[in-house]
């Protein structure tokens, strides 16, 4: 590329001059290309270690003048071809002009001006971007693409100098982190190391320090462990690697596009050597942290943050912390975790939180929906608990009532001091009150505030009502599941023992399934939602459900409950850390996986009495998932002795179940609700009751060291494990779905699946615009989740096929794709892919030839390809003695296989009789014989084993394509000459057979001799009486037709009209029609020698015999297309091809030769990222 001229003082240091003229010098970097010796090795090492730009552009052009020692760079190139193009342009356009100048300074000024002009002209059409990457970074990105063969769609995020430990030896080089790959390159004294790892293949990523690897980053995939160390900033590198790996596995989870935030904030001044993508990722991470800390809506983006102090009126102090500003909120977080949090929505007009009105209204969490909605949904204005609660005054409840009154008073005092509503100061005092229990009357309001659901509800007025209206009457799988589970949702509670509560629950769940079809509905959502409805209106319950599913419990309620499995992994890890003596026992019993899902998915609501579990929900809405983990650890800790004595999983489950059944809330003012789980696990000696507040207190005392940041870090680590485990499960399920007769081993199938999946993902990475490259839908069955289109299949076919055909390979791949794509959606799944591969690798000679035969019949052979056979003069050399190539008519190409089979009466006589018998049986049976239908159904269920008799016949056009394929297939074989001779012999034999068959098919008496005609078959029509038709001369402009026209005139009308049943494989079911004038114009006789000439197939003794045979049998019917003729009578069957090939041992050996697909897969993986780093000619990038 052209460069803005820069001074070079020492032009020959580390560079070799290759061309020169009075004004310009073309140079090559030492060590690049062939040779170079020790100097070249040293220069190459320096370029890598010091990140020299010469590694990217090993060629350059300098401008010089005779008397000056200063040189100017004007162009550089990554290949000899590129730099030669620039050099030739300079010689052709500038040399003559420069020779006119007298002054050297004028020459230099002119050259610099010209180069700047060229650069300006090239950049004229480039759209200017607001935030271009700095030059140094662009250079690194170019180097990455060149080094690892990545396309332009692969974006570099950042790159770091580090060491890769290969064995015990560190290799210093550069680590490139791209959107989809981790790449490393090192070149030290001739030793080259090149690594490429897809982020989706990473199963473990952690920062550790050992004696062997000091402060290193460990990256594990399924088949290797990589260690990188000696980073300048290991923290930043590791954080970025985490982000990229997280994005990749999330893409596997929900097909979410990369960087869903379309307009992330950007810093005012771009930093040197940092890409726009890196800044976007940093901004994304900050946004996620900001939203999680303050429970803000998902579309809120941080504009900036700064250190400040907040003056708090409740204690008259300045509290140091950070202020965060976004479009709709100003938030504050103190340095001390519990000192003070504040959220100020910019929509709120009130200047101070304590001035908020406590009256119900538009700003009160207990405000209802618009009036029109209230009549439709009776629960719209208040929680179900208020409707179904006994109207007992609190004063009449004794000690419990007094306690409840005290709680309410404490909260009122808190509201007075710290404010009420969204702008409330949240301090350590707030947490204390939550831990003591939220009073029933305030629970719904505070849940909305602490979860952030209140923000979304007030900014989306009427949204829930619209969703309910839209979803009414809509049926889907989700609505069916909802209906099934409605009556299982807290059936013991009076609110859900009538249609009022059930209808409210139905509307909320259906509205959410309509809002978020990715989740739709998941079991356990009904239990959680029913509790939300007890304490809030339908709209409030809906927004609380949104907060739970989309922010507070991410991925919990999708089809594979990934979020719950991730937190289950965290729970196991925490058990190892906090309860090491119990951890191994629990692992052996397998209890954790059984208990944790029900605990986490329903927030203990399904395993604990309702009055107790709702207190845990109070804390959960305030503190998040850490409360659930703390309580779970406290439960295990409380039952440690009994669990250590358990002998099996059932016993351990019983211990924990009985303990949870007896966790009580002695302060609850609601009437006790019988707990179904407790009724099932009660025994003679129930364990002691445990107060829920005591359990919470113990959980905070023993396990309060958990922090939200640590949990997020652990979630990332576990998410890698869980999703990779799910992917492995999917792989095993797909492999199990493959029939046993495929022939590949389990290991080979798994390797093929990984290659197939990687090809699918590549289209996702690089934004393919092809319509087939649709995003993966995880809700589909495993077998349908990964599919590839024809373009991707061609790439895989070229790498894996044992039938390499050189330049003809893509054509064969296209035919194989059409053959496998049975549903014609232009996509094939893994099962179809493996079926195609197996046909080429496994089975005997007959099975392999059947596959090859089918590839040259419709639908594999498209009409366009068949017609191209007429123009294949580069393959079948034209012979002067032959008039034209007899090929099949268009009718053959468009007739379905089944029609051809049924209508070929000679070959399918028995099948025809069977069909007639069945017709008679069906007509004569009344009422219908159900046994007949059962037999038919049983036949359909049987695996239809295709026999060689079922294959339709091949016409001449298709036969040419088959010969063409075989010719190309043998071109790279060691036995090339023997194979060519053998196929020439076989082809000539088959052509004779086809001609002889055609001749017999034209005999009028054959039909009556061989078999009686079917009763349904019409007799042949009388021959035409028009002598003009019979003696029609050939077209004047067709010399070939003239040459062969006289032989046709001597034929009898019967010979011209009667078509044998085997003729051409087209199997006409209607009588032959008189030929039109247009058809007879091109009527001609053909020698089969024109199809396969002796020269093209290297068989000297072929010509005479073939011409003789061809001369005897003339084609009575021929059509012309594209300059060649189509012989409609010539045909050949699969049995004839098979028998002919069996006569040549070299062909038999070729097709029976075993090929190891494992080696092909290994080679394919190498080729996927193959890149030559030291070639003197233009470097070719081979992409998978």
């Amino acid at each position: 590329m052209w460069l803005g001229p820069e001074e070079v003082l020492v032009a020959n240091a580390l560079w070799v001059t290759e061309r020169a003229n009075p004004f310009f010098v073309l140079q090559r970097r030492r060590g690049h290309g062939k040779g170079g010796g020790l100097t070249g090795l040293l220069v190459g090492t320096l370029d890598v270690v010091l990140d020299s730009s010469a590694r990217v552009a090993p060629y350059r052009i300098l401008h010089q003048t005779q008397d000056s020692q200063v040189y100017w760079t004007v162009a550089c190139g990554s290949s000899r071809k590129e730099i030669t193009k620039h050099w030739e342009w300079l010689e052709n356009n500038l040399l003559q002009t420069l020779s006119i100048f007298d002054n050297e300074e004028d020459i230099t000024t002119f050259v610099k001006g010209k180069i700047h002009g060229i650069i300006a002209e090239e950049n004229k059409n480039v759209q200017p971007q607001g935030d271009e990457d700095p030059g140094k970074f662009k250079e690194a990105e170019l180097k990455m693409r060149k080094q690892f063969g990545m396309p332009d769609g692969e974006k570099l995020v950042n790159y770091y100098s580090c060491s890769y430990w290969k064995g015990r030896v560190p290799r210093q080089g550069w680590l490139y982190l791209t959107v989809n790959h981790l790449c490393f390159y090192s070149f030290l004294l001739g030793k080259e190391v090149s690594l490429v790892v897809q982020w989706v293949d990473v199963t473990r990523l952690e920062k550790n320090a050992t004696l062997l690897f000091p402060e290193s980053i460990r990256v594990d995939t399924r088949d290797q462990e990589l260690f990188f160390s000696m980073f300048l900033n290991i923290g930043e590198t590791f954080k970025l690697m985490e982000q990229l790996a997280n994005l990749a596995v999330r893409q596997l989870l929900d097909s979410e596009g990369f960087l869903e935030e379309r307009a992330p904030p950007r810093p005012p001044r771009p930093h040197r050597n940092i890409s726009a993508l890196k800044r976007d990722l940093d901004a994304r991470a900050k946004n996620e942290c900001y939203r999680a800390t303050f429970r803000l809506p998902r579309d809120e983006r941080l504009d900036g943050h700064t250190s400040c102090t907040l003056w708090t009126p409740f204690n008259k102090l300045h509290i140091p912390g950070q202020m965060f500003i976004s479009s709709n909120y100003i938030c504050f977080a103190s340095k001390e975790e519990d000192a003070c949090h504040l959220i100020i929505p910019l929509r709120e007009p009130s200047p101070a939180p304590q001035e908020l009105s406590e009256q119900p209204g538009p700003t009160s969490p207990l405000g209802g929906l618009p009036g029109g909605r209230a009549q439709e949904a009776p629960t719209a204005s208040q929680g179900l608990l208020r409707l179904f609660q006994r109207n007992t005054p609190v004063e009449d409840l004794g000690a419990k009532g007094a306690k409840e009154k005290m709680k309410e008073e404490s909260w009122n005092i808190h509201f007075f001091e710290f404010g009420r509503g969204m702008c409330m100061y949240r301090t350590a005092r707030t947490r204390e009150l939550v831990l003591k229990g939220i009073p029933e009357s305030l629970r719904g309001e505070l849940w909305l505030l602490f979860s952030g659901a209140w923000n979304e509800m007030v900014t989306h007025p009427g949204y829930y009502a619209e969703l309910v209206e839209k979803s009414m009457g809509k049926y889907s799988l989700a609505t069916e599941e909802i209906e099934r589970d409605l009556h299982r949702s807290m059936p013991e509670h009076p609110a859900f023992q009538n249609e009022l509560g059930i209808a409210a629950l139905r509307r909320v769940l259906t509205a959410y399934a309509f809002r978020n079809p990715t989740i739709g509905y998941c079991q356990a959502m009904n239990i959680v939602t029913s509790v939300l409805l007890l304490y809030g209106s339908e709209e409030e319950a809906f927004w609380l459900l949104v907060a739970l599913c989309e922010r507070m419990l991410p991925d919990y309620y999708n089809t594979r409950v990934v979020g719950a499995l991730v937190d289950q992994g965290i729970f196991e890890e925490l058990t190892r850390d906090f309860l090491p003596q119990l951890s191994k026992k629990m692992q052996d019993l397998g209890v954790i996986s059984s208990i944790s899902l029900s605990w986490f998915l329903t927030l203990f609501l399904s395993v604990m009495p309702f009055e107790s579990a709702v207190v845990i929900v109070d804390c959960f809405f305030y503190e998040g998932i850490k409360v659930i983990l703390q309580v779970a650890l406290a439960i295990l800790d409380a039952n440690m002795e009994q669990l250590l004595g358990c002998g099996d999983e059932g016993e351990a489950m019983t211990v924990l179940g009985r303990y949870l059944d007896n966790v009580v809330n002695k302060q609850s003012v609601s009437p006790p609700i019988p707990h179904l789980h407790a009724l099932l696990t009660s025994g003679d000696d129930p364990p002691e009751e445990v107060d829920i507040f005591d359990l919470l207190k113990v959980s905070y005392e023993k396990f309060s060291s958990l922090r939200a940041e640590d949990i997020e870090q652990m979630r990332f680590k576990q998410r890698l494990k869980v999703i990779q485990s799910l992917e492995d499960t999917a792989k095993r399920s797909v492999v199990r779905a493959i029939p046993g007769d495929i022939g590949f081993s389990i290991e080979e199938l798994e390797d093929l699946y990984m290659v197939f999946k990687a090809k699918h993902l590549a289209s996702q990475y690089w934004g393919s615009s092809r319509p087939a490259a649709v995003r993966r839908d995880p809700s589909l069955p495993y077998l349908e989740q990964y599919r590839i289109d024809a373009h991707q299949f061609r790439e895989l076919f070229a790498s894996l096929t044992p039938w390499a055909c050189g330049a003809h390979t893509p054509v064969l791949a296209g035919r194989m794709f059409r053959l496998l794509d049975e549903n014609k959606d232009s996509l094939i799944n893994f099962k179809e892919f493996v079926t195609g591969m197996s046909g080429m690798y496994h089975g005997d000679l007959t099975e392999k030839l059947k596959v090859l035969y089918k590839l040259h019949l419709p639908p594999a052979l498209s009409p366009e390809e068949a017609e191209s056979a007429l123009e294949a003069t580069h393959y079948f050399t034209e012979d002067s003695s032959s008039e034209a190539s007899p090929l099949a008519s268009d009718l053959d190409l468009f007739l379905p296989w089944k029609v051809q089979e049924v209508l070929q009466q000679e070959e399918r006589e028995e099948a025809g009789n069977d069909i007639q018998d069945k017709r008679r049986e069906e007509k004569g049976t009344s009422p219908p014989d159900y046994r007949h239908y059962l037999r038919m159904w049983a036949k359909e269920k049987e695996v239809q084993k295709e026999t060689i008799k079922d294959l339709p016949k091949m016409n001449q056009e298709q036969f040419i394509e088959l010969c063409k394929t075989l010719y190309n297939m043998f071109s790279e074989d060691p036995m090339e000459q023997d194979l060519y001779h053998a196929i020439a012999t076989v082809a000539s034999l088959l052509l004779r057979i086809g001609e002889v068959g055609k001749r017999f098919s034209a005999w009028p008496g054959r039909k009556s001799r061989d078999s009686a005609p079917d009763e349904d078959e019409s007799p042949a029509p009388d021959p035409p009486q028009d002598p003009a038709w019979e003696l029609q001369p050939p077209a004047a402009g067709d010399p070939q037709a003239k040459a062969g026209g006289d032989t046709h005139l001597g034929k009898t009308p019967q010979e011209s009209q009667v078509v044998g049943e085997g003729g051409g494989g087209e199997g006409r079911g209607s009588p032959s029609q008189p030929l039109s004038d247009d058809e007879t114009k091109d009527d001609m006789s053909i020698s089969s020698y024109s199809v396969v000439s002796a020269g093209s197939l290297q068989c000297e003794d072929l010509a005479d015999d073939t011409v003789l045979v061809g001369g005897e049998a003339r084609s009575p019917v021929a059509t012309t297309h594209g300059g060649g003729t189509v012989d409609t009578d010539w045909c050949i069957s699969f049995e004839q091809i098979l028998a002919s090939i069996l006569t040549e041992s070299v062909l038999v050996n070729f097709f029976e030769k075993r090929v190891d697909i494992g080696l092909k897969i290994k080679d394919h993986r190498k080729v996927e990222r193959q890149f030559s780093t030291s070639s003197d000619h233009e470097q070719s990038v081979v992409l998978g």
Side-chain angles (χ1 to χ4, degrees), residues 492-566:
E492 65 275 16
H493 198 286
F496 298 99
Q497 292 169 357
N498 61 79
E499 189 52 36
L500 183 67
I502 295 294
L505 183 59
R506 178 187 292 115
R507 283 190 291 271
V508 173
L509 290 172
T510 307
Y512 185 77
F514 200 78
R515 165 192 165 89
N516 190 345
T518 307
I519 291 177
Y521 170 77
C522 173
Q523 283 190 337
M525 284 172 71
N526 59 321
I527 295 172
V528 174
T529 308
S530 58
V531 174
L532 301 178
L533 277 168
L534 291 176
Y535 294 100
S537 68
E538 275 186 37
E539 186 178 23
E540 290 164 357
F542 170 79
W543 286 112
L544 281 167
L545 186 63
V546 168
L548 269 177
C549 295
E550 296 174 13
R551 293 200 312 274
M552 300 189 72
L553 295 175
D555 307 321
Y556 259 59
Y557 299 106
N558 60 22
T559 50
R560 297 188 283 181
V561 293
V562 171
L565 292 172
V566 167

Side-chain angles (χ1 to χ4, degrees), residues 982-1044:
I983 197 60
T985 307
V986 167
S988 67
L989 178 61
L990 288 169
L991 283 164
R992 294 180 213 176
I993 292 170
E995 292 288 349
V996 170
K998 180 181 71 175
R999 188 178 169 202
F1000 275 102
S1001 71
W1003 289 3
R1006 182 176 181 235
K1007 182 85 176 177
S1008 57
R1009 280 199 310 270
D1010 288 352
S1011 62
D1014 280 333
E1015 55 194 37
D1016 294 333
E1017 198 170 305
S1018 303
D1022 292 335
Q1025 302 301 317
D1026 186 359
W1029 175 85
E1030 192 174 334
L1031 302 174
Q1032 178 68 40
D1038 194 343
Q1040 289 182 336
K1042 284 180 183 177

Side-chain angles (χ1 to χ4, degrees), residues 737-774:
I738 304 301
D741 59 354
I742 284 294
F744 292 117
S745 67
I746 296 294
E747 293 75 18
E748 287 171 340
L749 284 172
E750 289 183 349
D751 287 344
L752 280 170
Y753 177 80
M754 296 308 292
V755 168
F756 185 85
K757 173 182 164 184
K759 184 57 68 179
H760 169 93
L761 290 174
S763 68
Q764 309 295 301
Y765 294 160
W766 298 318
S768 171
S769 58
R770 295 190 297 275
V774 290

